[in-house]
Amino acid sequence: MQRRVTGLTAAVAALSMTALLAGCGGDSGDSGDVTLKLVAADYGDSSTNSSKKYWAALTKKFEAENPNIKVDVSVYSWTDVDRKVKEMVKDGNAPDLAQIGAYADYAAQDKLYSADDLLSIPTQADFLAPLSKAGEVNRVQYGMPFAASTRLLFYNEKLFKSAGIKPPQSWSELQSAAQKLKSRGVKIPFALPLGPEEAQAETMQWLLSGGGGYTDNVDSYAIDSKQNISTFEWLKDELVGKGLTGPTAPAELDRAEAFAAFTRGDVGMLNGHPTLMQMSAKKGLKYGMVPMPGINGKAQSTMGVADWMMAFKQNGNRKEIGDFLDFVYSKKNVLDFSREYDLLPVTTSASQEMAGDKKDAAKLGEFLKELPTSQLYPVGKVSWAQVSVQVKKYIGKTVGPNGNPKAILGQIESKAAAEENAQ
């Protein structure tokens, strides 16, 4: 028999229905549907290859297989996306998912699901080990890698051939090659972009090649370590001091300017990522790529970079988020994204398939080889965002005419320790 609902009973029923709808994303009506809100970064450089197209195709397939789950995707430029998510969270309107540049601050505020909460065991186990580790805060993974890249040393094949130079494998060979290029009138034998745009990346590449890094073996900041000081003293005295880095002071040279100069044929060597391949190809410049030289031979590890996917707990759609992420991280979808934007797959299965594909291997094979042993920024530290700012602001001064690597690295280390202790 159907009971008629009146008075207080009706009010309770209404409140119960409101709570149910809120738990399902607030737009499910009587159907039980859930709508997930995803905010993502745009990896395209024009409307023709915007990430909007990737997400539209992916969500269409997912929704066809999961008719009770809808996914609403908003794509923003890298200039705006992190700020947009921050504003949404501050306003109490966090998205279910965000694909942006950093996750640690949200994890520290207990706003995120862990990967254990969301992903199936096969999906989580498929992430490449360095990327999984970089996604951890206090040994719990909150950041799920979405896109990855490594760095290699690019060199101008024409300039090297005309000077009879072989690609360098050590610092001394790099310096010798730069000297020969300078003697032949090359404007910028080695481009060293330590300007504010992305100085933290160039810095980390050199720290690793010198046997150091931003942190030590127990994940504490070690910016003024003996190895790091020696690395920047060598850069100051043996590259910059000998006029091998071109007319622009490294502290004033940004990565974008260095890349553009390389594609014009003005640069002999520089550290670069896959984007530089596309830029060089468009200009018809022939280039080669080798692993970053170290003190006495190939560096033991190179720098890896990752962008992150994270899931907010606010709306409570844990199961639906997990179902969607298992789909996102399927081998086919990871490969589709990586191939579209010349980025490296974040999963073992997709990496192995790409490495075994002749076309993929010809384009990204050298980068793929470096990724499994790469080291990433200490992004699991909430303090890293501010430490990165300090590196961008001061690191270029270490190699200037009056630079003091020991003092400046010590200054950055002190501020890093203060930031870490403040968390």
Side-chain angles (χ1 to χ4, degrees):
M1 182 178 68
Q2 184 175 2
R3 295 178 58 189
R4 192 175 171 194
V5 183
T6 60
L8 179 61
T9 306
V12 172
L15 287 172
S16 298
M17 181 59 72
T18 300
L20 176 63
L21 295 179
C24 293
D27 56 355
S28 59
D30 294 329
S31 67
D33 287 354
V34 171
T35 296
L36 301 177
K37 174 68 176 177
L38 165 64
V39 176
D42 196 347
Y43 288 81
D45 55 13
S46 67
S47 59
T48 58
N49 69 345
S50 171
S51 295
K52 292 179 181 179
K53 292 186 175 182
Y54 172 80
W55 286 114
L58 184 143
T59 55
K60 183 178 179 180
K61 294 177 184 176
F62 175 77
E63 290 172 356
E65 297 178 16
N66 300 268
N68 292 330
I69 306 175
K70 307 297 180 186
V71 185
D72 178 16
V73 184
S74 298
V75 176
Y76 297 92
S77 71
W78 274 108
T79 304
D80 299 323
V81 68
D82 289 277
R83 173 183 55 79
K84 182 64 177 178
V85 172
K86 185 176 182 179
E87 290 173 352
M88 293 173 71
V89 173
K90 183 178 180 180
D91 293 342
N93 188 33
D96 294 283
L97 293 149
Q99 186 272 297
I100 52 178
Y103 66 88
D105 50 348
Y106 300 121
Q109 297 168 37
D110 194 30
K111 293 184 180 295
L112 302 180
Y113 286 116
S114 70
D116 289 337
D117 293 331
L118 301 167
L119 302 175
S120 66
I121 292 175
T123 298
Q124 190 173 1
D126 201 21
F127 288 133
L128 290 164
L131 305 182
S132 289
K133 184 177 180 181
E136 295 179 353
V137 174
N138 296 324
R139 298 185 180 181
V140 177
Q141 185 180 359
Y142 295 96
M144 291 161 280
F146 183 74
S149 178
T150 55
R151 299 291 193 268
L152 293 172
L153 182 74
F154 283 67
Y155 62 93
N156 184 309
E157 284 191 345
K158 181 179 178 180
L159 295 178
F160 266 54
K161 185 176 181 180
S162 64
I165 304 171
K166 294 182 179 180
Q169 297 183 1
S170 65
W171 285 4
S172 60
E173 290 180 4
L174 186 150
Q175 184 202 50
S176 175
Q179 288 174 330
K180 289 180 180 179
L181 292 169
K182 181 183 179 182
S183 68
R184 297 180 67 85
V186 175
K187 186 176 181 181
I188 308 173
F190 185 92
L192 184 65
L194 294 177
E197 180 193 5
E198 204 188 30
Q200 83 283 2
E202 186 73 16
T203 296
M204 185 170 179
Q205 188 75 346
W206 279 100
L207 296 183
L208 292 173
S209 74
Y214 283 120
T215 57
D216 58 21
N217 292 333
V218 294
D219 202 33
S220 296
Y221 285 116
I223 297 170
D224 63 345
S225 69
K226 181 179 178 180
Q227 295 96 322
N228 293 346
I229 292 170
S230 295
T231 293
F232 272 85
E233 287 177 342
W234 186 87
L235 286 172
K236 177 180 182 295
D237 297 336
E238 303 301 327
L239 280 189
V240 181
K242 295 186 182 303
L244 302 178
T245 54
T248 303
E252 300 173 5
L253 181 65
D254 283 334
R255 182 196 65 181
E257 297 168 1
F259 278 18
F262 182 77
T263 64
R264 293 195 302 267
D266 293 336
V267 174
M269 299 172 280
L270 82 170
N271 292 317
H273 52 66
T275 300
L276 187 54
M277 297 191 303
Q278 300 175 18
M279 296 174 63
S280 300
K282 289 179 180 178
K283 295 286 187 177
L285 184 136
K286 293 184 178 181
Y287 60 89
M289 301 179 297
V290 293
M292 177 68 180
I295 297 177
N296 298 310
K298 177 182 177 295
Q300 293 183 357
S301 63
T302 189
M303 183 184 73
V305 178
D307 301 324
W308 303 96
M309 179 75 78
M310 62 212 70
F312 288 88
K313 296 191 291 187
Q314 179 177 318
N315 299 321
N317 297 319
R318 182 182 65 82
K319 181 184 183 304
E320 292 79 9
I321 293 171
D323 290 343
F324 179 63
L325 289 176
D326 280 339
F327 183 81
V328 167
Y329 286 109
S330 68
K331 182 169 68 173
K332 180 183 184 305
N333 288 329
V334 172
L335 283 169
D336 285 348
F337 181 84
S338 301
R339 286 166 172 160
E340 176 67 26
Y341 298 106
D342 282 341
L343 291 165
L344 304 184
V346 297
T347 61
T348 300
S349 59
S351 293
Q352 289 175 343
E353 180 154 329
M354 183 174 276
D357 183 279
K358 290 184 179 180
K359 184 176 180 181
D360 289 332
K363 182 183 290 187
L364 294 169
E366 292 301 317
F367 291 97
L368 282 167
K369 290 178 185 177
E370 298 296 313
L371 187 57
T373 58
S374 65
Q375 292 191 34
L376 283 76
Y377 299 131
V379 290
K381 292 179 175 290
V382 178
S383 58
W384 168 245
Q386 289 303 315
V387 173
S388 177
V389 170
Q390 295 298 314
V391 173
K392 292 177 182 179
K393 186 175 181 179
Y394 294 110
I395 199 67
K397 297 180 180 180
T398 61
V399 298
N402 300 313
N404 185 328
K406 183 176 181 179
I408 295 173
L409 290 174
Q411 175 186 345
I412 298 173
E413 170 70 21
S414 295
K415 292 188 176 182
E419 288 288 343
E420 184 74 356
N421 292 333
Q423 302 303 323

